[in-house]
Amino acid sequence: MAPNAFKHGLSAEDAAAAIGQGLTASGLRHTSEAFPIGDGGDGTIALIADRLGAVRVKATVRDPLHRDIDTWFGLTDDATTLIEMANASGLRLLDTAELDPLIALSTGTGDLIRAALDLEARRIIVGMGGSATVDGGVGILQSLGARFLDKHGDPLTGLPAALTALDSIDTSQLDPRLANCELVVLCDVDNPLLGPSGAAAVYGPQKGATPGSVQQLDSCLEQLANVVAKTTGRDMKTVTYGGTAGGAAAGLYGLLNATLAGGIDYFLDITGFDRSLETADFVITGEGSIDDQTLQGKGPMGVAVRAKKRGIPVIGLAGKIPLTPGPELKKYFDILLPIGNEPSGLADALENTAANLSRTAEAIGRMIALSSTGLE
């Protein structure tokens, strides 16, 4: 049972539990394993921390509006630190009226990285989903010692909106401990940094950007990319996954040479998912919607690819599926089932996600049991 979170409806852990309850209620004789998954989005790091038995270390950091908040990061036995960007710089930390990516900064995530370095971290993994920022990572980088200067050599104020005036970046005061630490960024989207498919255009509006500020933010990110290219020679504009977290992924690649990784594959590797497949006869996965976009590296797709390599049937559950799934979806998902029980509005559907998952899983269990009886 390897579901992703059902966005706004159910966490991945609760989704797996609901599926398990349904299978138990079906009377099917079976063993099962709950293996909730994350693809780099908000909650992924918590799942990794739980799987790896990481200690949760408390830290006080700055939220997107620079207010002090208490949060945590994970620390494993091998000095790997696990950081959830949303814990420090997330949308969920702000009220709707506070959302404004022209002023929101990712500084708190940088605070967490510094706290990890204080504990002599040798590898830092950052899950970047769910951020409230479109700052290209300048908040993180400032927290780590980078200085963003205008043409007079003075530090810019009013970031990220002021990035259009960026002329140079002083990296001489970057935390020297970064040089001896591997930095991995888990990305849940593959958008580029700039343009109509970029960080500002696609994700800016959900973070409070107006049409006018979307254009301004895109210009800010372009200027940042231009100056970073002159500073380090790295191209933020073309790097895969660069649009993740308002361009923060591209910024950490550009100035810190961070490794940008597809969230779901990295998650499945580090948590040992393939070992669990060794004893599986069926895999049940799911999330809020399974459609053609799922094929672009979403969580259920990562699960399905690995299961199909082993010849294991995959059942996909979702609040929404296509009326006629295309051949690529059918290639990876043997069965696709919508979990809704009757016509309803979105609010009702979200409220009933757990009950609908359990009911659908119970039906699956009964069908498997009937099929097995028939075969005998």
Side-chain angles (χ1 to χ4, degrees):
M1 303 174 295
N4 205 352
F6 282 64
K7 193 171 184 179
H8 303 305
L10 213 59
S11 70
E13 301 99 317
D14 289 341
I19 293 169
Q21 290 166 6
L23 290 174
T24 299
S26 75
L28 176 70
R29 294 179 59 188
H30 72 286
T31 58
S32 64
E33 180 182 358
F35 205 119
I37 63 164
D39 56 12
D42 189 356
T44 297
I45 291 297
L47 292 173
I48 294 175
D50 290 343
R51 273 278 159 185
L52 300 186
V55 175
R56 295 196 177 195
V57 180
K58 295 180 180 179
T60 300
V61 303
R62 290 166 284 183
D63 79 357
L65 300 181
H66 270 222
R67 300 170 297 202
D68 284 349
I69 58 170
D70 294 325
T71 186
W72 64 272
F73 60 91
L75 183 64
T76 70
D77 291 340
D78 67 351
T80 294
T81 302
L82 308 169
I83 290 175
E84 192 96 71
M85 184 173 182
N87 285 355
S89 311
L91 275 169
R92 56 180 160 84
L93 301 176
L94 304 181
D95 295 332
T96 301
E98 294 178 317
L99 297 177
D100 185 353
L102 286 173
I103 62 173
L105 283 167
S106 57
T107 314
T109 302
D111 295 343
L112 286 176
I113 293 174
R114 281 194 296 107
L117 293 171
D118 289 342
L119 295 181
E120 300 182 349
R122 289 293 173 261
R123 178 173 59 164
I124 298 174
I125 301 172
V126 183
M128 279 201 162
S131 83
T133 56
V134 186
D135 70 348
V138 297
I140 297 172
L141 294 161
Q142 277 189 318
S143 177
L144 295 173
R147 299 171 69 238
F148 298 85
L149 311 175
D150 63 19
K151 63 182 180 180
H152 304 294
D154 296 322
L156 290 173
T157 58
L159 293 170
L163 280 173
T164 50
L166 180 65
D167 183 73
S168 63
I169 302 172
D170 177 9
T171 61
S172 64
Q173 297 179 42
L174 272 174
D175 195 315
R177 298 172 295 180
L178 290 164
N180 299 314
C181 183
E182 178 189 8
L183 181 59
V184 180
V185 174
L186 303 190
C187 304
D188 62 338
V189 300
D190 60 0
N191 300 72
L193 179 67
L194 304 173
S197 299
V202 175
Y203 301 106
Q206 73 186 37
K207 302 177 184 187
T210 65
S213 57
V214 164
Q215 293 184 3
Q216 183 178 350
L217 288 164
D218 198 61
S219 297
C220 290
L221 294 175
E222 182 171 20
Q223 182 61 14
L224 175 63
N226 291 338
V227 177
V228 166
K230 290 190 299 182
T231 305
T232 67
R234 299 188 194 103
D235 188 356
M236 292 173 55
K237 297 179 182 180
T238 60
V239 64
T240 304
Y241 306 119
T244 300
L252 296 196
Y253 162 77
L255 277 188
L256 303 183
N257 198 26
T259 298
L260 309 189
I264 185 57
D265 281 331
Y266 198 96
F267 175 90
L268 296 177
D269 284 340
I270 198 171
T271 56
F273 181 73
D274 288 348
R275 290 194 299 273
S276 291
L277 288 179
E278 292 174 0
T279 56
D281 296 304
F282 294 92
V283 170
I284 301 176
T285 186
E287 64 181 356
S289 178
I290 295 180
D291 51 29
D292 286 344
Q293 288 189 350
T294 304
L295 300 170
Q296 309 304 314
K298 297 293 186 181
M301 183 63 178
V303 167
V305 166
R306 296 192 181 212
K308 297 304 287 184
K309 283 182 179 178
R310 294 175 175 267
I312 302 172
V314 179
I315 301 170
L317 307 181
K320 177 184 176 184
I321 64 171
L323 181 62
T324 305
E328 280 296 299
L329 280 174
K330 291 182 178 179
K331 177 180 176 182
Y332 291 102
F333 298 92
D334 297 272
I335 299 173
L336 278 177
L337 293 174
I339 64 171
N341 64 313
E342 62 183 2
S344 66
L346 179 59
D348 287 339
L350 293 173
E351 183 178 351
N352 293 314
T353 301
N356 283 334
L357 266 176
S358 290
R359 176 184 46 76
T360 306
E362 181 177 351
I364 290 170
R366 291 183 182 277
M367 291 172 66
I368 293 173
L370 285 172
S371 175
S372 299
T373 302
L375 288 174
E376 291 174 357

